[in-house]
Amino acid sequence: MTPDSVASDLLPVRRVLPNGLRLGYIQLPVGSQAAALVRVHAGAHDTPSEYPGLAHFLEHLLFLGSQAYAATDSLMPFVQGRGGQLNASTRERHTDFFFQVATETFGEGLRRLLDMLARPLLDEAAQLREREVLQAEFLARGRDRETLCDAAIGTALSAAHPFAAFHAGNRDTLPVEAAAFQQALKGYHQRFYHTGQMELLVAAPCSIEQLLELLQCSECQLPVAPAVARPLAPLRADDGAVLHLEVDGARPCLNLAFALDGLPDQACVALDVLGAWLASQASGSLSAVLRETCWCDALALRVPYWHDGQGVVVIEAQLTEQGMADRAEVVAAVRSWLQFMTLQAPWAELWDEYVQIRQRGLLGKEPLALLRYWIDPAAWAPSIATDRVRQALQALGTQITEAKPIVLTVDGVGGNQCASIASTQTGFALRLAPERWPVAGDRAWQWRLAARNRWLSAHARPRVAPVAVPALCWLEHDDDSRGQGALYLRWQFATDRPPAGLWHALHAALQVHIVAAVQAGVELRFDDLGSSWSLMLFGYAEALPLVLQDLLDVLKAPPIEAFDNGQRLLGEATAPGANELLIRQLLRRLPMLVEPAAVEDHAVPDQPALERVWQGAPWDALAVGLPAHLSGPLQDVLAAMPGRSELPVERQTGHPLRYQWSRFGNPGVETALVLFCPLPVRSAAVEAAWRQLARLMEGSFFRRLRSELQLGYAVFCGFRQLGERSGIIFAVQSPSASAAEILGHMEVFLESFAASLETPSADLLQVLCAGESANGLSRDLRRRAEAVWQARLAGCDAEHPAAVAAAIATVDVVDVRLQLRSLRAAEGGWHVVANADAPDGRWQQR
């Protein structure tokens, strides 16, 4: 498939059904998964002002059962039990609900989705429990840098606008016990959850006639009503502002925010154009210039609010020490660049590369990602009026140029230098103060468009060649790969790990190329797996050898400044920060921690150290789905790869520690704990039983620890592979429980779940049977490639995933019960990482 054929294959067919529901449909090839997304055109800004958070609260409640499906058989446990994915999101003026599953179970999922939206139970006892979940989420958001930045920006608006109000919701704003609140909750649902305010998008390998027939069933019937007109308050920041915000653990950053209003319809697309060019880190880009001046490590465009031609647009710069001192110069440079890009840049070149980027990006998207792209008003489509986008970009530029921005500096200096503001307006305690802004120097910036991304247009010279590299496993993909391919490389380290800062140095050097690869339709990932490094390229197959070729010089000899960055980034990685949820930080560290303790080289990362690492590092590779004419170009690149080509050998790991505890960070307002239980034996039969066990436990664990015990809103379990080891993860972040209490709840859950397996319920047996297809060998290229690569990382051959899929069909309750006993006995070891010390002497703390 060529990128320019995306219009006919991946563009949704849209129609309005007789009941007023807007429908978009994409027919996918046989073998694809299926996805659905419902957008309700109402959100946080549409709730009664006396009940902040009501829209978000209702989003949570809808998952707790409906008239046709009890809570234990509702959409969430149904999708979780079948290996799918689902979520929901409440924004300012819309709320989205979405899921993706195997095609054979899609109809049952769609029935559950539409029934829960139309006929929720809204049980008051369940509301009381779920309110505690929102309270925990509110407490976490009160320490999140991005949330606090948006709240601080809201304080600088000139007129009352919902953006400046509190919408998160908490225990105080959701008086479940009050009759007036219940009336408001049901009134909001009745006002907005109907066909006039809803939009349904589906991507599935079936005909639209089959979909329309499914929508006729009773569970899929939605209330019918006309669209609701909603007023729009003016959005202004007439005088701008210069503010300083302190957030514990935050790294220095600068937010340059603009309040925009009265823009034409295509302004959201124009903003997407601007964002695509802002993301570029190529020569001549804004990122490259600010990096060369040692002011900034990274740039991003955020749009925390956008609706009907008005919005808040934020340029966020991660500052260096020098950039912190020269913030006025940074602001002047960014504003100068914005003026150039919106009012002076050559439109034809700007638009042409943007269209190429969007075409490439669409080719590799999964069904759900496709729907989330097309539901956005900023989505590019082949039919879009180019001239109108250009005019909208100029209107955007005029407002940005003439406006007084809100300039917000954020850091984690501490010491309460800023006064704390606990206002009803923001709902969060802000350590915020006005700041005196220095005058910027009179520097004349000479901007130009960033260098073109050659991966969008260049092609590897095709050549079919026999696979002659022993360390390369080449797998053809039988099904329609839609032009996609996957390529994996691994460098193994036997006894001595490389200097810790080296991986960070290479990762920093690759950042420039990660953005360019994404824009060319290729996902680039470079992972530290503890005893090995892994490079992954997935996406537009024709570009993969080209991208890998251009990465060779970076891998062999990164820029000298990358080594300094590596040391700094290593320090940041080993200390928790406010930029990311704590539990995600723990999960990211786990792969290094579960590997056997090897001797770690503490040498300063530099070019000689990197060369020593490459000299002793054997590599192996996997290519999946690439057409035969790329076999020659790919092997040419691999021949120049650093390290030496060598078939992987099974690593002798020795007997694992049974109970291992790693501490990351210090006890704080919240406690996060992740327990990883690796497989005791890596055989197809054991892995199959553990995968089924994880699927059986996922919904029950979530329900027990999140809904019933109300430990927090970040609660999950599931089967995962961390580096070279697979197993089951249990994770909780809680504002109320200690690490010892969280671990205790996990162990009690495992005990009670083991008891439930002695006399399994019909629901549990149904999930076990459904898992046979959900866990089967996927025909999706990405899932198949990932399964084979994980098998190779674990020392298994390429046939291992097929063997697991076959074994899953034979797993019964007796097998699951036996493996749960093995898990509880820690036969494969238990590895905990938490922001607290081990609670007792059975743990060996690292």
Side-chain angles (χ1 to χ4, degrees), residues 139 279 306:
L139 293 174
W306 189 272

Side-chain angles (χ1 to χ4, degrees), residues 1-6 9-10 357-366 370 481-484 520-521 538-540:
M1 176 184 289
T2 58
D4 57 4
S5 68
V6 68
D9 285 352
L10 299 177
I357 290 168
R358 288 294 166 257
Q359 287 177 328
R360 282 283 182 92
L362 282 170
L363 284 177
K365 290 187 183 294
E366 289 195 319
L370 273 177
S481 62
R482 303 181 71 83
Q484 302 296 287
F538 179 87
Y540 186 52

